[in-house]
Amino acid sequence: MNPRLLVITGPDQGVSHPIAMDSFAIGRNPWNQLSLTDSSVSREHCVIVRQGDDFLIRDLGSFHGTLVNDARVTERALANGDTIQLGRSRLRFLTDEEILCEETTADIRVTQIPAGQAEIPAALENSQDMQTLLRISIMLHSFHALYKIRRSPARSTLERHLLEFIFEAIPASRGAILLYEEDLSDPSLLSVRSDASAPHRPVVINRTLVRRVIEERCGLIVESAVSADAEQSASASPRKSAALLLAPLLIREQVGGIVYLEGAAFREQHLQLLVAITHIASMALENAFHLEWVETENERLESELHPDHHMIGDSPRLRELQRNILRAAQANSTVLIVGETGTGKELVARAMHQNSPRAGQPFMAVNCAALAENLLESELFGHEKGSFTGAHVQKKGRLEVAAGGTVFLDEIGEMPLQLQVKLLRVLQERQMERVGGTQPIKLDIRLIAATNRNLEEEVRAGRFRQDLYYRLNVVTLKTPALRERQSDIPLLATHFARKFGAQCGRRISGISPEAGAYLKQYDWPGNIRELENALERAVVLGSSDIIELEDLPESIREIARPAEVAGAPGLQDAVDRAKREAIAQAMQQAKNDHAGAAKLLGVHPNYLYRLMRNLGMR
């Protein structure tokens, strides 16, 4: 077995990667066994794990998810030919279980027919074979159905149907359809079938004959060739002979695939029939590929009209931010994103990268508040071997690894002053040195920074360098707080409810009007992150397919009753009345001492103050 991954679409298209380790990590980070230069792939996206003779693929919490045969998976066993989609990249998992190759020209006699010049033999007219040929023609020329089949989750569905029809018309014991992308040396997709009466064994592909079909664009009948039915036994018995049929699939005047059949004996009429079938299939496939190209081009043009920003909402503040993102994305200027915690500053940075000319290059995100000063310096700038205790090998920093791409420095206001000096040099001279190194390294990166602090105040307080602030503050984007875009709250809430419903295996059909009114009126100090957490809690603890008011966190239910539901009495009214009575009684017992009343109620004084304010109590 020689497992490998072939990149069939994406920035690394055509590259084949052998899986030579028990754990094969895939992602955008350069230290993965397979590093994809695709901005839509997560830094650590998924891993393929060997378990004996089997392989499992496991998603690592990626942003866009891992799809196997167009179905989203968390963990799944892989089979030969499975298609794996990571962001915009599609890979094909291949083993050598179903197909073997050999090079031989000895002891064979070949008859060939140029592709497209075969006629249906007269002996086949009004026969079952003619009915089979008609069925093939009807199936392959149903363009819309064909297109859906090619995009369906079942892998190689079209090719397997075609093989089944061919086996009905031609007496083959086993066969394969080999489809090629740009590289004609190895097939990018293969479908294999054996006759029901024959044991399952690999199909032996004669590369010499395949090359001849590709170069001469002809169908071949080989009257004597090596068969997979006669493997060498322990007694070294002679290998039996078998006949072969080969015919090309011509797509856009180029060989896009080959039908390869093996049997005990074939006649020339079988070759004529196979060439006729492949001619029909070629025309249908070409139309299907053209339809797929039109669809892809339509998606590309649509994405240009509606930039890829993954932002939900239609409020004026959000539309203005989206327009500014698109404008700033086309330049190479340094960008500073400001806004409260939880407003989606990293999402803005990623949207800017994905809509920029650097979209096909790495996007490196570093949280400056999450690492100690020495670790942050090593993470950003890298280090030389022996530069400090524990530096056993040379390590490239994020700034260097992101060559040609974008570096996002989150919480830049938390960066220590000493590192601010080094970052200033990066912005001024576009070069850096590794920790412990003396050799300057030139950088081709775009830098985006974000902070929830007021950097002007930080400069006045001496906690942030003024010269660095001016270097960062070239283009400034402000992410609006959620309370400033209240009209987007229902859309966001519905999105999160369905997202977490799918994760929990629950069907969430919507949010009740009462719960929606409370969500819209709440102040959301934690912004979108708090809203997301509130909806996750509601989905996990809820019991129906509707998010009800009682499913929401208590902090949201405690606010003053919204005007649109004020006239509708219910459980919440009774709860609010009981709270007011309890607070009034505690205040009376504590002689209007706020801290004493909080102690009697068993709550924190700050919580009691907020509760009284939300309940409209003085």
Side-chain angles (χ1 to χ4, degrees):
M1 183 183 293
N2 182 27
R4 62 195 185 280
L5 288 173
L6 178 69
V7 184
I8 53 177
T9 61
D12 303 297
Q13 180 176 348
V15 181
S16 180
H17 303 269
I19 302 175
M21 308 178 68
D22 291 338
S23 180
F24 189 83
I26 307 172
R28 212 172 59 249
N29 278 340
W31 47 82
N32 290 300
Q33 278 74 44
L34 172 52
S35 177
L36 295 172
T37 57
D38 184 343
S39 60
S40 59
V41 173
S42 296
R43 293 186 288 273
E44 295 177 355
H45 200 107
C46 64
V47 62
I48 295 178
V49 181
R50 182 194 294 263
Q51 293 187 350
D53 293 333
D54 298 325
F55 291 86
L56 296 178
I57 186 167
R58 185 178 300 132
D59 186 76
L60 299 177
S62 60
F63 184 79
H64 291 290
T66 300
L67 283 73
V68 177
N69 300 330
D70 294 336
R72 188 161 185 160
V73 300
T74 302
E75 181 174 296
R76 173 169 171 166
L78 289 174
N80 181 53
D82 277 347
T83 300
I84 304 168
Q85 180 157 350
L86 315 174
R88 290 191 293 270
S89 295
R90 291 178 72 88
L91 317 175
R92 181 155 286 115
F93 177 75
L94 297 173
T95 69
D96 288 337
E97 293 179 339
E98 293 187 287
I99 187 166
L100 301 173
C101 296
E102 66 175 12
E103 298 273 358
T104 178
T105 56
D107 193 29
I108 62 173
R109 191 152 57 92
V110 177
T111 302
Q112 72 179 54
I113 297 177
Q117 295 185 16
E119 296 181 357
I120 300 173
L124 296 179
E125 294 180 0
N126 300 318
S127 68
Q128 183 179 355
D129 296 327
M130 280 298 297
Q131 295 177 9
T132 300
L133 192 61
L134 180 61
R135 289 168 58 199
I136 293 173
S137 179
I138 292 172
M139 181 197 76
L140 292 179
H141 282 86
S142 298
F143 297 135
H144 292 288
L146 175 66
Y147 179 61
K148 291 178 181 178
I149 288 175
R150 287 203 59 79
R151 295 174 69 92
S152 68
R155 67 182 174 93
S156 310
T157 305
L158 173 64
E159 290 77 20
R160 291 184 185 278
H161 281 321
L162 182 56
L163 272 176
E164 290 175 5
F165 286 131
I166 290 174
F167 269 58
E168 290 183 20
I170 298 175
S173 58
R174 64 176 50 84
I177 293 180
L178 295 80
L179 292 184
Y180 296 87
E181 299 288 343
E182 296 180 359
D183 184 8
L184 296 179
S185 59
D186 285 309
S188 60
L189 185 146
L190 59 92
S191 296
V192 178
R193 186 182 188 279
S194 296
D195 185 78
S197 61
H200 177 77
R201 292 193 182 117
V203 176
V204 179
I205 300 296
N206 188 318
R207 288 183 183 271
T208 306
L209 297 176
V210 168
R211 281 197 297 268
R212 181 169 174 178
V213 171
I214 292 174
E215 292 170 0
E216 301 181 18
R217 300 187 184 186
C218 63
L220 299 180
I221 179 170
V222 183
E223 298 183 23
S224 177
V226 174
S227 168
D229 282 328
E231 295 180 337
Q232 291 283 4
S233 65
S235 59
S237 59
R239 302 176 78 182
K240 299 178 183 178
S241 63
L244 300 176
L245 278 184
L246 292 85
L249 292 163
L250 299 177
I251 301 172
R252 301 189 187 100
E253 302 299 326
Q254 301 294 326
V255 176
I258 291 177
V259 178
Y260 192 104
L261 302 179
E262 181 181 316
F266 294 120
R267 296 190 298 274
E268 186 172 341
Q269 70 174 28
H270 294 134
L271 178 59
Q272 292 175 346
L273 178 59
L274 181 61
V275 172
I277 291 172
T278 56
H279 181 66
I280 296 172
S282 296
M283 292 187 295
L285 281 172
E286 184 166 344
N287 280 280
F289 287 143
H290 180 71
L291 187 60
E292 188 169 3
W293 175 85
V294 170
E295 182 81 8
T296 303
E297 186 68 8
N298 183 61
E299 291 175 0
R300 184 187 68 80
L301 294 173
E302 184 72 17
S303 67
E304 289 185 1
L305 292 174
H306 304 284
D308 184 13
H309 47 62
H310 305 291
M311 295 179 185
I312 298 171
D314 196 36
S315 64
R317 294 292 301 276
L318 185 62
R319 288 202 303 270
E320 180 185 1
L321 176 62
Q322 291 168 357
R323 287 193 296 268
N324 290 335
I325 287 172
L326 191 57
R327 294 191 191 102
Q330 305 308 313
N332 199 38
S333 304
T334 302
V335 176
L336 178 63
I337 305 171
V338 298
E340 297 179 12
T341 298
T343 52
K345 294 187 288 295
E346 182 171 350
L347 191 63
V348 171
R350 290 184 180 275
M352 197 173 306
H353 172 74
Q354 290 167 5
N355 289 282
S356 74
R358 297 175 179 265
Q361 302 303 318
F363 177 89
M364 292 288 175
V366 181
N367 190 325
C368 300
L371 299 172
E373 179 177 346
N374 59 333
L375 294 177
L376 180 59
E377 183 178 17
S378 176
E379 189 73 14
L380 284 176
F381 300 96
H383 59 255
E384 298 289 351
K385 180 179 179 181
S387 57
F388 54 84
T389 304
H392 302 299
V393 295
Q394 183 194 77
K395 176 189 174 183
K396 292 183 178 181
R398 297 290 184 95
L399 296 175
E400 187 177 352
V401 171
T406 303
V407 175
F408 173 59
L409 300 181
D410 199 7
E411 304 296 347
I412 188 72
E414 307 286 342
M415 178 176 283
L417 286 169
Q418 183 179 350
L419 288 187
Q420 291 180 27
V421 177
K422 297 191 70 171
L423 181 61
L424 181 62
R425 185 187 177 194
V426 169
L427 292 174
Q428 289 177 334
E429 303 177 14
R430 296 293 169 177
Q431 65 180 26
M432 53 149 252
E433 294 175 2
R434 299 192 190 106
V435 176
T438 58
Q439 186 68 29
I441 300 170
K442 291 188 176 181
L443 297 174
D444 174 22
I445 60 171
R446 183 184 193 176
L447 194 126
I448 301 175
T451 182
N452 61 356
R453 293 190 176 190
N454 187 323
L455 290 187
E456 292 182 351
E457 292 182 0
E458 295 295 302
V459 169
R460 286 193 292 269
R463 293 187 292 267
F464 201 84
R465 292 183 62 93
Q466 186 178 43
D467 47 4
L468 178 58
Y469 170 66
Y470 290 133
R471 281 286 180 180
L472 292 172
N473 194 26
V474 178
V475 176
T476 302
L477 298 180
K478 186 178 187 302
T479 54
L482 193 53
R483 61 183 174 275
E484 298 172 355
R485 41 181 291 216
Q486 285 189 335
S487 61
D488 292 335
I489 292 176
L491 296 174
L492 286 164
T494 302
H495 166 74
F496 289 135
R498 289 174 178 170
K499 169 187 171 183
F500 293 116
Q503 292 180 4
C504 298
R506 289 186 54 202
R507 180 182 176 274
I508 303 297
S509 58
I511 300 172
S512 71
E514 189 177 18
Y518 272 80
L519 289 173
K520 197 170 180 179
Q521 182 163 308
Y522 183 61
D523 196 32
W524 298 111
N527 293 294
I528 299 174
R529 189 177 293 121
E530 184 183 6
L531 175 62
E532 184 177 11
N533 293 339
L535 267 297
E536 182 176 9
R537 175 193 185 278
V539 170
V540 172
L541 299 182
S543 57
S544 69
D545 60 350
I546 298 289
I547 302 296
E548 301 288 355
L549 178 60
E550 56 266 25
D551 299 329
L552 300 177
E554 188 176 357
S555 59
I556 300 174
R557 302 198 306 268
E558 288 172 351
I559 65 174
R561 194 167 182 82
E564 52 263 51
V565 294
L571 177 62
Q572 191 62 34
D573 285 332
V575 172
D576 289 347
R577 283 196 302 270
K579 288 180 178 179
R580 288 190 184 95
E581 292 173 2
I583 293 172
Q585 185 177 356
M587 291 292 286
Q588 185 178 6
Q589 292 178 8
K591 297 181 180 179
N592 290 330
D593 178 59
H594 187 83
K599 187 175 182 180
L600 288 172
L601 292 169
V603 298
H604 193 277
N606 290 344
Y607 175 79
L608 178 59
Y609 175 80
R610 186 184 67 187
L611 183 58
M612 292 176 67
R613 182 191 63 189
N614 291 337
L615 292 172
M617 300 178 67
R618 295 183 60 184

